Amino acid sequence: MATHDLDPLLAGRGYRSTRPRQAVWDALQDGAHRTAEEVARAVHEIHPEVNLASIYRALALLRDLGLVRESRLAGGDQASRWELAHPDEHFHVVCDRCGRVDHHAGSLVAAITEHLSASHRFVPERVELVVHGHCVSCDRDHSHDDGEPWIANPSHH
């Protein structure tokens, strides 16, 4: 979505565009998966007057309106990552070595929701699927001198 699309999206839900809301929206347009602190840094580069509380409120409102997604992409107490909203069919693929995050679109999420509905009498409302591993670039970086990929635990093959 283009940055100018925020005004009608908010107005259609009974909200008005404010400088913090627009600044947060703009900071997420590059498709990156940012922490709230990274969003705040991006906002402050252009709008240093926007305070941190306003940024958090804008993120929460945009999330509640379904315009952005908050995801936990790493285990433990890692910070949430924020991005523009996307369909559930787009799940996250996270490289645990370099931190790269990509989206993968496929039928896996639909298969899970159909299975839960049909076999477990459960109605999924939102699916947050995160797959951890390592990317091809990191695999190449960890290759042995013989060119074979580095395998962390070869007994699992």
Side-chain angles (χ1 to χ4, degrees), residues 80-157:
S80 293
R81 298 289 174 156
W82 297 85
E83 64 181 320
L84 295 178
H86 57 78
D88 283 346
E89 293 79 25
H90 294 216
F91 58 90
H92 294 102
V93 179
V94 180
C95 179
D96 290 328
R97 293 183 185 157
C98 70
R100 180 179 173 169
V101 179
D102 286 321
H103 287 147
H104 177 77
S107 59
L108 180 60
V109 175
I112 292 169
T113 57
E114 289 169 13
H115 170 77
L116 291 171
S117 296
S119 300
H120 298 278
R121 298 176 54 176
F122 182 80
V123 180
E125 294 179 4
R126 181 171 183 243
V127 176
E128 187 69 36
L129 180 61
V130 180
V131 178
H132 290 268
H134 60 273
C135 66
V136 173
S137 295
C138 287
D139 195 43
R140 275 194 301 267
D141 292 345
H142 287 89
S143 293
H144 296 290
D145 291 336
D146 61 5
E148 290 297 314
W150 177 80
I151 300 172
N153 189 348
S155 64
H156 287 161
H157 281 265

